[in-house]
Structures are given as structure tokens and as C-alpha cells.
Amino acid sequence: MKYTNVIFDLDGTLTDSAPGILAGIRYAHEKMNWPLPDDATQRLFLGPPLMVSFTRFSGMTTKEAAKAQDYYREFYNSTGSMNNSVYPGIRQLLVALKKQGVSLGVATHKPLATSIQILKAFDLYRFFDAVAGPEPGEDPSKGELIQRAMKKNAKTVMIGDRATDVIGAQEAGVDGIAALYGYGSRAEFEEVETRFYANRVQDLYELLDVKPIKNRGIFLSFEGNDGTGKSTQAKLLAERLRQNGHDVLLTREPGGTQIGEKIRELLLDFKNLEMDKVTEALLFAAARAQHVKQVILPALQEGKLVISDRFVDSSIAYQGAGRGIGIDQVRAINAPAVAGCMPDVTIFLSLNPDEGIKRLVQTREADRLEIAGDDFHQSVADAFKDMIQREERFLPIDASGSIDEVAARVYEQAQTRLMEKQLI
Ligand code: TYD
């Protein structure tokens, strides 16, 4: 291993805040009724202080720029920061570095408290042994910050996306690597005689002489009675984990493949009232077999985090209990379809079934299964309750409240469970 201590700049190196910043800049221009500069000019806003950018690139006076900056902050504080994300590949790199005993640091010009907040929001904080950023009222150089983040008696390297990061590295007497996937340009790095360049995150493996780690895939499923907001929550969790830098695949049952989607149409079409319950169970299992073999297993083998909106537990509850085929029978039908590929964690959104159906009626037309009657839905709910009690894999989560409230609950509890199981 070439280095025993790797220090990263934050914005533009670990995290990409460009989409949020650009959206804020567009918002500020709109509010000011000011012509929006072209795309290339907008990108120049990434880096210098905002006041400088509004005056230099948009031609505002200092007073106008201050007003634009207020609008920008108003936007950024409400929604802009949600557009940020960890660069793809960074999380996997940090895992590999940690596993190979490298100590990690952050040296950033963002205020220290904000930086820690950002690292925590993206679930990156726990990877770092030291974080250095300006404390209130001080204005340290990048070299000074790198020194604060450095581990003693280690072979250190600094990775950053702007020339100031390499200048800081030189000041601190350590190697510097240019992260060209961030906001800086090659020209600014050449000007300061940078020796090492990473065009992509993947290039860092070779530059740091660290081996990529093949991570094991993670399989999450969502279950719940009809109308619990499961599909919305599965999507929101997928987005949040993607922002954190996980390689996420979101899929659903019945469906998830071309063949599966055709079977789904047959199953949910409320005109197919004559469908026998065994036919129904076999069709769900058939769609699942295709889904597991064509989508889920290959993604897990690539190390992805797979989220499936419903999986085999739905068949056990709906066909086994709801339709009364029997749980053992449904398990047997599904054994070759599932082929041993079971979720690591099953998030169960729990809501009183009556309330669930009420929510559904308010939002859209019901499908063939949803009109099956109260007894049916009660048996489904009971079957799920039973599974939750028996199987450790289940993570029941209260689905009452607003979409955002439930999403926050789902994220927190899923993270905790995945960490307990040492899957992330
Ligand atoms: P869907 O539109 O996905 O409903 P929801 O948003 O509630 O998940 O339709 C899936 C329906 O199919 C739902 O009523 C549950 C049912 N179902 C089964 O009966 N067995 C199964 O194995 C699966 C996957 C779903």
C-alpha cells in the first residue's frame, strides 16, 4: 500500500453538490427577474463565493448580488441540499480503504459544523478518523487544515478537486491528487505542477494502490397491506440510499421483467374474475421465478443493493392465507422460484387495514386483489403479523403520518438494521 493516511476534500471530491447549487442559482435569477447565464457560465458559479459570482458572471451590483444570495439561501436551505449526493464509487472506495487499514480524513473549507452535518447526512462520517474545517471566526489555509486532519507518522496523501487542494498538500508536505471528476479543470492543476490525476473515482484505486473489494449484494424487500404507501416509500428509500452512494436497483412484484409485467396485467385485471386461486398462486410464482433469475440474482452478484416492492411474503399472505391455499402449499410452489434467494431485511409498513383501504380509495381505482373483501384483507394482515413475530428478518415500521415522516422513519430504521447486520 502506497499511503496509510488518505485525506479528502469534501465538496466536489466526496460529494457532488452541483445539482443543488445550480438549482439554487436558477431560482435566485428567476426571483430577481434576471436573465439566466448559459450552462457553461452557470458552472463557473461552483467554487468562488456566491457574491463574487453574481457580480462577475451575472453582472449584478453588490446590492443586487446580496439580494440574489438571500434568495439562493432560501432555496438551498429548503430543498437545494436534497439534490446533493455522494459520487458513485466513493462509498465503495472508502470501504476498501478502511478494510485495508488506511486511516481517513477530511480537510475542507466548509465550516466544520456544516461539514460534519453533511458527512452524517450521507452516512459517511463513521468512515473518518479526523475531520478538519474552519471553526467560527477563523480562516485557516488549506495546508493548515490538512495538517489538522493528518495522522502522525503516516504516509499521507490529499485528494481534492481544486488547485487549492494540491497547493495545500504542498504546504503540508504531502502528495496531492487532482480529482478531475469534480469542479476543477486540468489547466488549474497543471499550473500548480500537480503530478497525480484521477479522471474518475475508479482511477483512485491505482493511484492509492488499493485493491477494489467485491462487496456482497444486499437484498431488501418491502411488504405491507394495500394502501400503506409501500411503493412510494420503496422509491424514497432507494433515492436516499443512492444519494448516500449505494448502487441501488429498485424493482417490484409482480413484474420487474418484461415477462413478469405481462403476468402482472393478467393478475391485476379485474375482468379476470374467473381466475382460479391456484392459477393465481402459480402465476405470481412464475413472475417471481423470472424476476429472481433475470434481475435480482444478477444484481446481487454485481454487489448491488436491491430493493423489491413486495416479494415471496406477499404470496404467503395473499394466496396462502387470504385465498386459503395454505401457507405450506404456497411455500412449496415458490421454492423453485425463489431458489434460496431471500431478503436480508423485509421492511413491513404497518397500518390498520381499514385505514389502508381508505387511503387507496382516495387515490386510485382498485385492482382485482384489492376488491377481494374485508375477510380477505383481515387474513392477509393476520398472516403478516404472524410472520413478523416469527421471523427476525422482518422490520415492522409504523406507516401512519405524512409521507416525509414515514420516509424518515424507514430510512433511520433500515440504516440501523443494516448496520447491526454489518451489511453496510
Ligand atoms: P400493486 O399495484 O403492486 O399493489 P401495491 O401497491 O399494494 O403493492 O399490486 C400488487 C397486488 O398483488 C397487491 O394487491 C398484492 C398482490 N400480490 C399477491 O397477491 N401476491 C403476490 O405474491 C404479490 C407479489 C402481490
Side-chain angles (χ1 to χ4, degrees):
M1 207 135 10
K2 214 164 154 192
Y3 302 101
T4 51
N5 180 207
V6 180
I7 300 180
F8 292 85
D9 166 57
L10 178 58
D11 201 10
T13 305
L14 291 174
T15 57
D16 182 8
S17 56
I21 295 173
L22 292 171
I25 286 162
R26 285 193 289 272
Y27 176 84
H29 280 82
E30 219 169 85
K31 281 287 196 185
M32 297 285 294
N33 252 326
W34 203 271
L36 188 67
D38 62 30
D39 286 356
T41 312
Q42 283 176 43
R43 288 198 74 80
L44 297 176
F45 278 70
L46 304 168
L50 277 172
M51 287 291 290
V52 173
S53 297
F54 281 123
T55 48
R56 191 180 299 163
F57 308 128
S58 299
M60 295 183 190
T61 63
T62 314
K63 219 170 141 196
E64 285 159 347
K67 187 126 195 261
Q69 183 173 263
D70 285 344
Y71 282 128
Y72 172 89
R73 290 203 176 130
E74 169 191 303
F75 175 86
Y76 199 79
N77 291 339
S78 57
T79 53
S81 60
M82 293 311 289
N83 291 324
N84 295 359
S85 59
V86 175
Y87 282 106
I90 282 288
R91 173 172 295 275
Q92 293 73 13
L93 174 69
L94 297 178
V95 170
L97 286 166
K98 268 266 146 280
K99 282 225 170 113
Q100 287 163 63
V102 176
S103 93
L104 302 176
V106 172
T108 169
H109 259 131
K110 266 205 164 63
L112 181 61
T114 315
S115 305
I116 292 177
Q117 208 182 348
I118 293 172
L119 289 167
K120 282 189 175 160
F122 288 123
D123 182 37
L124 291 183
Y125 188 61
R126 60 196 169 94
F127 289 100
F128 293 98
D129 305 283
V131 179
E135 304 268 8
E138 61 161 13
D139 186 18
S141 70
K142 195 73 186 216
E144 160 83 45
L145 290 166
I146 294 169
Q147 264 158 354
R148 286 185 201 170
M150 267 164 67
K151 193 181 161 191
K152 283 202 184 65
N153 303 322
K155 182 96 177 70
T156 302
V157 63
M158 168 73 196
I159 304 171
D161 72 308
R162 302 306 303 250
T164 51
D165 295 310
V166 169
I167 297 169
Q170 290 161 355
E171 234 180 281
V174 302
D175 282 349
I177 298 177
L180 287 178
Y181 56 83
Y183 312 139
S185 66
R186 185 170 262 272
E188 71 180 60
F189 280 109
E190 280 171 356
E191 224 167 274
V192 299
E193 290 172 18
T194 307
R195 281 172 55 208
F196 306 111
Y197 292 87
N199 287 307
R200 307 164 308 144
V201 171
Q202 298 311 319
D203 298 341
L204 290 168
Y205 284 96
E206 208 184 312
L207 290 164
L208 299 172
D209 189 25
V210 56
K211 281 190 287 299
I213 284 189
K214 183 138 181 37
N215 48 330
R216 165 192 185 285
I218 303 169
F219 185 11
L220 295 184
S221 65
F222 268 81
E223 298 286 356
N225 301 108
D226 296 293
T228 48
K230 184 178 42 54
S231 307
T232 308
Q233 293 301 335
K235 190 164 149 266
L236 290 174
L237 182 67
E239 272 167 22
R240 181 77 196 260
L241 292 173
R242 226 172 252 144
Q243 283 186 316
N244 283 4
H246 290 283
D247 191 357
V248 180
L249 177 93
L250 175 64
T251 182
R252 70 164 180 182
E253 287 205 350
T257 63
Q258 231 175 20
I259 293 171
E261 291 293 333
K262 286 221 165 116
I263 300 177
R264 179 187 175 88
E265 280 171 33
L266 274 175
L267 280 165
L268 300 189
D269 189 342
F270 63 85
K271 287 198 287 298
N272 287 338
L273 282 176
E274 77 274 28
M275 189 183 292
D276 179 76
K277 58 189 179 186
V278 176
T279 312
E280 179 182 292
L282 289 167
L283 283 175
F284 275 115
R288 183 162 300 123
Q290 193 65 29
H291 192 211
V292 169
K293 266 153 229 161
Q294 194 183 334
V295 175
I296 299 178
L297 276 178
L300 290 173
Q301 265 148 17
E302 281 170 36
K304 293 199 167 129
L305 192 160
V306 176
I307 300 182
S308 185
D309 180 357
R310 293 197 184 276
F311 195 59
V312 68
D313 303 307
S314 280
S315 281
I316 293 172
Y318 285 79
Q319 282 66 52
R323 297 287 192 223
I325 296 181
I327 283 168
D328 290 341
Q329 182 89 325
V330 172
R331 271 193 214 284
I333 289 173
N334 276 280
V338 170
C341 174
M342 284 300 279
D344 296 297
V345 178
T346 296
I347 295 168
F348 182 84
L349 292 185
S350 85
L351 196 67
N352 161 337
D354 292 345
E355 200 174 324
I357 294 293
K358 221 184 287 158
R359 272 197 203 175
L360 263 188
V361 172
Q362 285 162 357
T363 51
R364 62 176 164 84
E365 237 174 84
D367 61 46
R368 195 177 59 83
L369 281 123
E370 285 160 1
I371 55 170
D374 289 352
D375 287 354
F376 175 84
H377 289 288
Q378 193 52 54
S379 322
V380 170
D382 291 345
F384 273 129
K385 210 180 274 168
D386 209 50
M387 282 189 265
I388 291 166
Q389 269 162 12
R390 270 172 220 259
E391 294 187 53
E392 179 274 337
R393 167 170 63 86
F394 276 86
L395 177 60
I397 297 178
D398 174 13
S400 62
S402 71
I403 291 179
D404 287 350
E405 279 162 5
V406 181
R409 235 175 265 149
V410 168
Y411 172 72
E412 293 297 331
Q413 296 190 31
Q415 276 281 120
T416 307
R417 176 65 67 92
L418 290 171
M419 270 163 53
E420 277 166 9
K421 298 190 74 158
Q422 297 189 334
L423 290 169
I424 58 169

